[in-house]
Amino acid sequence: MIDIKSYDLTELEEEIISIGEKKFRAKQLYEWMHVRMARDFDEMTNLSKEFREKCKERYTYTSLQAIRVQESAIDGTRKFLFELADGNVVESVWMKYKFGNSVCISSQVGCRMGCRFCASTLDGLERCLLPSEMLDQIYAITRITGERVSNVVVMGTGEPMDNYENLLKFITLLTDKNGLNISQRNITVSTCGIVPRMRQLADEKLQITLALSLHATTDEKRRRLMPIANKYNLRELMETCAYYFDKTGRRITFEYSLVGGVNDTKEDAEQLIELVKPLHCHVNLIPVNPIEERDFVESGKHEVQEFKNKLEKNKINVTIRREMGRDIDGACGQLRRRHKCEV
Ligand code: SAH
């Protein structure tokens, strides 16, 4: 069956015409799905019952069910666990900032990248998410909170560059002026560094922000934290980041999770400066969120501040990520994993 919510308007018009309906029906249907965020065909009350039945026979309608919601007592961050049609679950996070509401979505069920500090990857990859399943995380959260989402980060479970075609379709739908119409500049996609896909993305010349999970400043150290580093070395990665900036004019964000005693020393900071200085970039320091299954510890407050100061002294644009929702399994994949252990 056709996954109707993953169709763009042109595809939808062709489809609707092919089943003998008038073209304007496609626009109505599209609006119900992507503007009014209907949960099913039956909510689309200005479409005839006959047309709705026809749709039900032919199309699957992605609509995620929230099966668990946790709200942080500290900062109001909410974490949602959603069930997909096949029974798999994914998690998404809703964060309130001064500039608006931001949602962090998952791009896959599980992940096969194997980063050592990350909970999402512990059981490997189950499957990729469809464009409609990425979108509906945002739609479902909008329906539940009643508030508009202005920023989207693809930083939840999964490696977006390992689900490239669906990611692009998702971005097309999310930024469509006939849909939610979120600006490309308000979208961030985070990758562990799959070089050929990053180049491909650069060639798309989108205005989205690309975030690279760097986490180490030598190949040797990076390989210990991230298996993907065995495939692409830092030199290639940095060249690719420069290429991304050349093509898009968008500065790269480097994510650097600080792990106590592993990558947070003075030398690490110095090496990081050397590495990123030639690039137009922004460095986001993230105190590692310790997960039960690994024995990494976060860096001390003092070390984090020292690290930041050093970068700043060298005129590197740097921020420390505000820790949101630490009391509600904030780190990638923790809630989904807990759920799996419980059932
Ligand atoms: N696969 C993509 C996006 C998902 S992870 C990527 O690797 O970028 C989002 C970010 O959170 C990445 O920078 C990832 O390295 C980081 N991360 C994962 N687990 C973490 C943890 N326990 N503590 C701190 N950061 C973590």
Side-chain angles (χ1 to χ4, degrees):
M1 285 230 279
I2 291 170
D3 171 32
I4 201 70
K5 241 188 197 173
S6 290
Y7 270 14
D8 63 28
L9 188 54
T10 311
E11 290 167 331
L12 191 61
E13 282 172 348
E14 278 168 19
E15 171 58 27
I16 293 302
I17 291 168
S18 83
I19 62 165
E21 295 285 337
K22 295 230 160 56
K23 191 175 163 189
F24 78 94
R25 292 268 171 239
K27 189 78 192 282
Q28 286 181 319
L29 186 54
Y30 194 83
E31 194 177 309
W32 272 112
M33 292 192 287
H34 300 290
V35 180
R36 302 211 211 177
M37 302 178 235
R39 267 171 306 183
D40 54 34
F41 290 115
D42 286 328
E43 274 188 19
M44 306 178 184
T45 43
N46 69 344
L47 301 180
S48 72
K49 185 130 202 289
E50 202 189 333
F51 179 55
R52 280 186 266 149
E53 290 307 317
K54 216 166 164 180
C55 290
K56 279 190 221 170
E57 279 164 26
R58 289 176 167 78
Y59 313 132
T60 54
Y61 193 88
T62 296
S63 188
L64 307 188
Q65 303 303 317
I67 55 172
R68 196 157 159 172
V69 184
Q70 284 174 227
E71 181 163 354
S72 164
I74 307 169
D75 53 37
T77 295
R78 284 192 224 171
K79 190 146 194 174
F80 295 85
L81 194 67
F82 289 115
E83 187 171 39
L84 308 170
D86 63 1
N88 275 309
V89 295
V90 290
E91 55 187 74
S92 328
V93 187
W94 183 74
M95 290 157 285
K96 272 178 104 77
Y97 291 102
K98 280 194 217 85
F99 57 80
N101 299 322
S102 180
V103 167
C104 172
I105 67 151
S106 295
S107 57
Q108 297 179 312
V109 182
C111 182
R112 58 185 179 135
M113 294 300 128
C115 298
R116 297 279 303 153
F117 43 80
C118 180
S120 292
T121 199
L122 291 167
D123 295 323
L125 176 69
E126 185 65 37
R127 71 169 173 89
C128 285
L129 291 186
L130 300 166
S132 61
E133 291 170 325
M134 290 187 242
L135 274 176
D136 211 54
Q137 295 172 56
I138 299 153
Y139 295 176
I141 289 177
T142 307
R143 286 193 302 257
I144 295 167
T145 61
E147 290 188 38
R148 190 182 152 82
V149 169
S150 54
N151 287 67
V152 173
V153 295
V154 187
M155 276 192 195
T157 298
E159 170 49 47
M161 298 294 159
D162 192 32
N163 187 14
Y164 187 79
E165 295 302 326
N166 287 349
L167 174 80
L168 279 198
K169 191 61 177 292
F170 159 75
I171 294 172
T172 302
L173 292 168
L174 188 64
T175 55
D176 183 7
K177 61 179 180 346
N178 295 301
L180 258 199
N181 196 13
I182 289 188
S183 151
Q184 286 184 5
R185 288 171 175 263
N186 292 354
I187 300 175
T188 300
V189 172
S190 175
T191 180
C192 63
I194 302 182
V195 164
R197 295 301 196 185
M198 291 165 70
R199 285 196 168 257
Q200 211 176 331
L201 186 66
D203 291 336
E204 307 277 352
K205 297 197 172 65
L206 300 177
Q207 286 299 294
I208 63 172
T209 300
L210 182 64
L212 175 72
S213 299
L214 190 59
H215 305 323
T217 53
T218 65
D219 283 315
E220 198 255 324
K221 208 175 248 187
R222 197 163 186 267
R223 278 185 219 121
R224 270 190 269 144
L225 294 172
M226 306 172 74
I228 191 73
N230 291 302
K231 225 163 163 183
Y232 308 108
N233 63 32
L234 283 170
R235 194 182 49 77
E236 285 174 281
L237 262 184
M238 293 301 133
E239 279 170 14
T240 308
C241 290
Y243 182 77
Y244 190 86
F245 179 80
D246 277 352
K247 289 280 166 183
T248 64
R250 301 287 292 163
R251 67 179 190 173
I252 298 277
T253 296
F254 289 109
E255 290 160 281
Y256 195 94
S257 293
L258 289 159
V259 188
V262 174
N263 63 2
D264 65 346
T265 63
K266 221 173 101 196
E267 291 70 44
D268 289 305
E270 279 158 8
Q271 282 163 346
L272 183 58
I273 291 162
E274 289 311 306
L275 203 57
V276 304
K277 215 170 181 179
L279 293 159
H280 298 270
C281 70
H282 168 243
V283 174
N284 200 203
L285 301 174
I286 317 166
V288 82
N289 206 340
I291 59 172
E292 249 170 56
E293 294 79 359
R294 302 274 189 260
D295 51 10
F296 292 124
V297 294
E298 61 190 299
S299 309
K301 285 242 162 1
H302 178 73
E303 280 78 12
V304 174
Q305 200 54 48
E306 284 281 282
F307 204 94
K308 179 174 183 247
N309 291 348
K310 214 162 175 49
L311 265 60
E312 267 172 349
K313 267 196 205 119
N314 286 273
K315 310 225 165 14
I316 309 274
N317 219 304
V318 57
T319 45
I320 300 175
R321 166 140 351 139
R322 252 176 79 197
E323 290 176 56
M324 307 281 277
R326 182 58 77 95
D327 55 335
I328 52 166
D329 295 322
C332 306
Q334 283 186 352
L335 182 61
R336 168 170 172 266
R337 203 173 157 72
R338 170 155 313 169
H339 174 77
K340 278 178 66 174
C341 295
E342 281 169 6
V343 291

